[in-house]
Amino acid sequence: MTIQDVFDRLIPVEKAAVELIRDTGYDPDDGIGGKVRHLPDTCEDAFLRDKAEGILASLAQ
């Protein structure tokens, strides 16, 4: 694998990350926006939101 191979694989990942951030309404200060509905199980919802916001924060940098 060359560095070009790495970049060739990263380009679609970056595009998908940008789309995901846009589609969720993610904001570094406010977290996931109102576009993402809550799950019926509030504990599961809080857990998954926390995990998703951590990942989105990494992608947004």
Side-chain angles (χ1 to χ4, degrees):
M1 178 176 281
T2 67
I3 193 65
Q4 186 61 52
D5 296 329
V6 173
F7 271 91
D8 290 346
R9 292 176 68 179
L10 282 174
I11 290 170
V13 172
E14 181 183 28
K15 288 179 183 179
V18 168
E19 288 176 11
L20 180 60
I21 290 166
R22 183 197 64 228
D23 292 348
T24 61
Y26 175 76
D27 180 88
D29 296 323
D30 297 327
I32 293 176
K35 294 180 178 182
V36 179
R37 294 182 309 246
H38 289 273
L39 296 174
D41 181 333
T42 56
C43 291
E44 182 180 14
D45 186 78
F47 174 77
L48 291 176
R49 280 178 186 272
D50 183 58
K51 292 293 184 187
E53 287 180 356
I55 295 168
L56 289 167
S58 296
L59 294 173
Q61 292 181 356

